[in-house]
PDB file of all heavy atoms in Angstrom:
ATOM      1  N   SER A 560      10.725  68.690-116.220  1.00 36.00           N
ATOM      2  CA  SER A 560      11.588  68.777-115.043  1.00 36.00           C
ATOM      3  C   SER A 560      11.801  67.405-114.488  1.00 36.00           C
ATOM      4  O   SER A 560      10.890  66.708-114.322  1.00 36.00           O
ATOM      5  CB  SER A 560      10.834  69.696-114.000  1.00 36.00           C
ATOM      6  OG  SER A 560      11.599  69.655-112.763  1.00 36.00           O
ATOM      7  N   THR A 561      13.075  67.095-114.214  1.00 34.00           N
ATOM      8  CA  THR A 561      13.396  65.742-113.548  1.00 34.00           C
ATOM      9  C   THR A 561      13.964  65.933-112.150  1.00 34.00           C
ATOM     10  O   THR A 561      14.544  65.056-111.641  1.00 34.00           O
ATOM     11  CB  THR A 561      14.442  65.106-114.557  1.00 34.00           C
ATOM     12  OG1 THR A 561      15.559  65.920-114.630  1.00 34.00           O
ATOM     13  CG2 THR A 561      13.946  64.715-115.836  1.00 34.00           C
ATOM     14  N   THR A 562      13.836  67.180-111.621  1.00 34.00           N
ATOM     15  CA  THR A 562      14.431  67.395-110.232  1.00 34.00           C
ATOM     16  C   THR A 562      13.490  66.718-109.280  1.00 34.00           C
ATOM     17  O   THR A 562      12.277  66.999-109.238  1.00 34.00           O
ATOM     18  CB  THR A 562      14.474  68.843-109.998  1.00 34.00           C
ATOM     19  OG1 THR A 562      15.234  69.459-111.016  1.00 34.00           O
ATOM     20  CG2 THR A 562      15.079  69.141-108.617  1.00 34.00           C
ATOM     21  N   PRO A 563      13.965  65.871-108.365  1.00 34.00           N
ATOM     22  CA  PRO A 563      13.163  65.105-107.431  1.00 34.00           C
ATOM     23  C   PRO A 563      12.408  66.101-106.494  1.00 34.00           C
ATOM     24  O   PRO A 563      11.264  65.903-106.139  1.00 34.00           O
ATOM     25  CB  PRO A 563      14.078  64.195-106.721  1.00 34.00           C
ATOM     26  CG  PRO A 563      15.259  64.091-107.550  1.00 34.00           C
ATOM     27  CD  PRO A 563      15.340  65.332-108.313  1.00 34.00           C
ATOM     28  N   GLY A 564      13.036  67.209-106.094  1.00 37.00           N
ATOM     29  CA  GLY A 564      12.392  68.050-105.226  1.00 37.00           C
ATOM     30  C   GLY A 564      11.634  69.240-105.765  1.00 37.00           C
ATOM     31  O   GLY A 564      11.408  70.206-105.137  1.00 37.00           O
ATOM     32  N   ALA A 565      11.337  69.183-107.034  1.00 37.00           N
ATOM     33  CA  ALA A 565      10.620  70.298-107.672  1.00 37.00           C
ATOM     34  C   ALA A 565       9.186  70.322-107.115  1.00 37.00           C
ATOM     35  O   ALA A 565       8.627  69.363-106.678  1.00 37.00           O
ATOM     36  CB  ALA A 565      10.458  69.971-109.211  1.00 37.00           C
ATOM     37  N   ALA A 566       8.606  71.523-107.141  1.00 35.00           N
ATOM     38  CA  ALA A 566       7.266  71.752-106.593  1.00 35.00           C
ATOM     39  C   ALA A 566       6.245  70.993-107.486  1.00 35.00           C
ATOM     40  O   ALA A 566       6.405  70.925-108.688  1.00 35.00           O
ATOM     41  CB  ALA A 566       6.914  73.249-106.604  1.00 35.00           C
ATOM     42  N   PRO A 567       5.142  70.613-106.886  1.00 38.00           N
ATOM     43  CA  PRO A 567       4.161  69.837-107.655  1.00 38.00           C
ATOM     44  C   PRO A 567       3.550  70.618-108.771  1.00 38.00           C
ATOM     45  O   PRO A 567       3.405  70.134-109.881  1.00 38.00           O
ATOM     46  CB  PRO A 567       3.124  69.369-106.529  1.00 38.00           C
ATOM     47  CG  PRO A 567       3.919  69.437-105.334  1.00 38.00           C
ATOM     48  CD  PRO A 567       4.866  70.520-105.440  1.00 38.00           C
ATOM     49  N   GLY A 568       3.227  71.880-108.458  1.00 38.00           N
ATOM     50  CA  GLY A 568       2.663  72.746-109.533  1.00 38.00           C
ATOM     51  C   GLY A 568       3.505  72.975-110.714  1.00 38.00           C
ATOM     52  O   GLY A 568       3.172  72.859-111.833  1.00 38.00           O
ATOM     53  N   ARG A 569       4.847  73.269-110.383  1.00 35.00           N
ATOM     54  CA  ARG A 569       5.791  73.489-111.367  1.00 35.00           C
ATOM     55  C   ARG A 569       6.069  72.315-112.232  1.00 35.00           C
ATOM     56  O   ARG A 569       6.168  72.316-113.487  1.00 35.00           O
ATOM     57  CB  ARG A 569       7.112  74.069-110.725  1.00 35.00           C
ATOM     58  CG  ARG A 569       8.134  74.368-111.803  1.00 35.00           C
ATOM     59  CD  ARG A 569       9.401  74.926-111.108  1.00 35.00           C
ATOM     60  NE  ARG A 569       8.996  75.951-110.153  1.00 35.00           N
ATOM     61  CZ  ARG A 569       9.901  76.530-109.330  1.00 35.00           C
ATOM     62  NH1 ARG A 569      11.157  76.172-109.250  1.00 35.00           N
ATOM     63  NH2 ARG A 569       9.524  77.519-108.530  1.00 35.00           N
ATOM     64  N   THR A 570       6.150  71.137-111.569  1.00 36.00           N
ATOM     65  CA  THR A 570       6.471  69.882-112.390  1.00 36.00           C
ATOM     66  C   THR A 570       5.301  69.585-113.324  1.00 36.00           C
ATOM     67  O   THR A 570       5.504  69.215-114.441  1.00 36.00           O
ATOM     68  CB  THR A 570       6.621  68.709-111.372  1.00 36.00           C
ATOM     69  OG1 THR A 570       7.684  69.071-110.449  1.00 36.00           O
ATOM     70  CG2 THR A 570       6.947  67.413-112.144  1.00 36.00           C
ATOM     71  N   ALA A 571       4.109  69.774-112.827  1.00 37.00           N
ATOM     72  CA  ALA A 571       2.860  69.472-113.638  1.00 37.00           C
ATOM     73  C   ALA A 571       2.861  70.423-114.839  1.00 37.00           C
ATOM     74  O   ALA A 571       2.506  69.974-116.014  1.00 37.00           O
ATOM     75  CB  ALA A 571       1.619  69.615-112.857  1.00 37.00           C
ATOM     76  N   ARG A 572       3.163  71.675-114.674  1.00 35.00           N
ATOM     77  CA  ARG A 572       3.127  72.572-115.722  1.00 35.00           C
ATOM     78  C   ARG A 572       4.153  72.280-116.814  1.00 35.00           C
ATOM     79  O   ARG A 572       3.961  72.394-118.029  1.00 35.00           O
ATOM     80  CB  ARG A 572       3.276  74.039-115.243  1.00 35.00           C
ATOM     81  CG  ARG A 572       2.067  74.627-114.618  1.00 35.00           C
ATOM     82  CD  ARG A 572       2.179  76.099-114.391  1.00 35.00           C
ATOM     83  NE  ARG A 572       3.301  76.526-113.571  1.00 35.00           N
ATOM     84  CZ  ARG A 572       3.279  76.630-112.289  1.00 35.00           C
ATOM     85  NH1 ARG A 572       2.107  76.486-111.668  1.00 35.00           N
ATOM     86  NH2 ARG A 572       4.288  76.956-111.543  1.00 35.00           N
ATOM     87  N   LYS A 573       5.402  71.851-116.346  1.00 35.00           N
ATOM     88  CA  LYS A 573       6.415  71.556-117.409  1.00 35.00           C
ATOM     89  C   LYS A 573       6.128  70.173-118.135  1.00 35.00           C
ATOM     90  O   LYS A 573       6.474  69.993-119.191  1.00 35.00           O
ATOM     91  CB  LYS A 573       7.749  71.469-116.715  1.00 35.00           C
ATOM     92  CG  LYS A 573       8.258  72.823-116.208  1.00 35.00           C
ATOM     93  CD  LYS A 573       9.664  72.756-115.658  1.00 35.00           C
ATOM     94  CE  LYS A 573      10.175  74.038-115.269  1.00 35.00           C
ATOM     95  NZ  LYS A 573      11.555  74.061-114.751  1.00 35.00           N
ATOM     96  N   ARG A 574       5.326  69.299-117.428  1.00 37.00           N
ATOM     97  CA  ARG A 574       5.008  68.046-118.164  1.00 37.00           C
ATOM     98  C   ARG A 574       3.867  68.164-119.072  1.00 37.00           C
ATOM     99  O   ARG A 574       3.733  67.248-119.947  1.00 37.00           O
ATOM    100  CB  ARG A 574       4.750  67.000-117.092  1.00 37.00           C
ATOM    101  CG  ARG A 574       5.948  66.480-116.278  1.00 37.00           C
ATOM    102  CD  ARG A 574       5.498  65.302-115.393  1.00 37.00           C
ATOM    103  NE  ARG A 574       6.664  64.820-114.749  1.00 37.00           N
ATOM    104  CZ  ARG A 574       6.582  63.818-113.856  1.00 37.00           C
ATOM    105  NH1 ARG A 574       5.445  63.227-113.579  1.00 37.00           N
ATOM    106  NH2 ARG A 574       7.682  63.282-113.271  1.00 37.00           N
ATOM    107  N   ALA A 575       3.070  69.175-118.884  1.00 36.00           N
ATOM    108  CA  ALA A 575       1.820  69.231-119.692  1.00 36.00           C
ATOM    109  C   ALA A 575       2.054  69.340-121.122  1.00 36.00           C
ATOM    110  O   ALA A 575       1.393  68.641-121.906  1.00 36.00           O
ATOM    111  CB  ALA A 575       0.897  70.465-119.081  1.00 36.00           C
ATOM    112  N   PRO A 576       3.019  70.203-121.639  1.00 35.00           N
ATOM    113  CA  PRO A 576       3.196  70.247-123.079  1.00 35.00           C
ATOM    114  C   PRO A 576       3.646  68.902-123.729  1.00 35.00           C
ATOM    115  O   PRO A 576       3.354  68.604-124.814  1.00 35.00           O
ATOM    116  CB  PRO A 576       4.310  71.315-123.279  1.00 35.00           C
ATOM    117  CG  PRO A 576       4.186  72.125-122.043  1.00 35.00           C
ATOM    118  CD  PRO A 576       3.854  71.184-120.978  1.00 35.00           C
ATOM    119  N   GLU A 577       4.422  68.103-122.912  1.00 37.00           N
ATOM    120  CA  GLU A 577       4.928  66.873-123.469  1.00 37.00           C
ATOM    121  C   GLU A 577       3.874  65.768-123.433  1.00 37.00           C
ATOM    122  O   GLU A 577       3.729  64.945-124.401  1.00 37.00           O
ATOM    123  CB  GLU A 577       6.164  66.374-122.778  1.00 37.00           C
ATOM    124  CG  GLU A 577       6.666  65.054-123.235  1.00 37.00           C
ATOM    125  CD  GLU A 577       7.879  64.655-122.442  1.00 37.00           C
ATOM    126  OE1 GLU A 577       8.242  65.343-121.497  1.00 37.00           O
ATOM    127  OE2 GLU A 577       8.339  63.528-122.676  1.00 37.00           O
ATOM    128  N   THR A 578       3.045  65.689-122.361  1.00 36.00           N
ATOM    129  CA  THR A 578       2.170  64.540-122.181  1.00 36.00           C
ATOM    130  C   THR A 578       0.863  64.777-122.771  1.00 36.00           C
ATOM    131  O   THR A 578       0.052  63.855-122.973  1.00 36.00           O
ATOM    132  CB  THR A 578       1.984  64.298-120.735  1.00 36.00           C
ATOM    133  OG1 THR A 578       1.545  65.512-120.093  1.00 36.00           O
ATOM    134  CG2 THR A 578       3.371  63.904-120.077  1.00 36.00           C
ATOM    135  N   ALA A 579       0.492  65.994-123.110  1.00 37.00           N
ATOM    136  CA  ALA A 579      -0.799  66.230-123.662  1.00 37.00           C
ATOM    137  C   ALA A 579      -0.848  65.744-125.095  1.00 37.00           C
ATOM    138  O   ALA A 579       0.101  65.824-125.837  1.00 37.00           O
ATOM    139  CB  ALA A 579      -1.193  67.724-123.751  1.00 37.00           C
ATOM    140  N   SER A 580      -1.983  65.203-125.521  1.00 37.00           N
ATOM    141  CA  SER A 580      -2.138  64.646-126.853  1.00 37.00           C
ATOM    142  C   SER A 580      -2.230  65.695-127.937  1.00 37.00           C
ATOM    143  O   SER A 580      -3.088  66.600-127.808  1.00 37.00           O
ATOM    144  CB  SER A 580      -3.345  63.697-126.935  1.00 37.00           C
ATOM    145  OG  SER A 580      -3.569  63.245-128.197  1.00 37.00           O
TER     146      SER A 580
END
Side-chain angles (χ1 to χ4, degrees):
S560 175
T561 56
T562 305
R569 183 179 304 173
T570 304
R572 283 194 298 270
K573 290 185 178 182
R574 286 184 179 181
E577 179 184 354
T578 57
S580 173

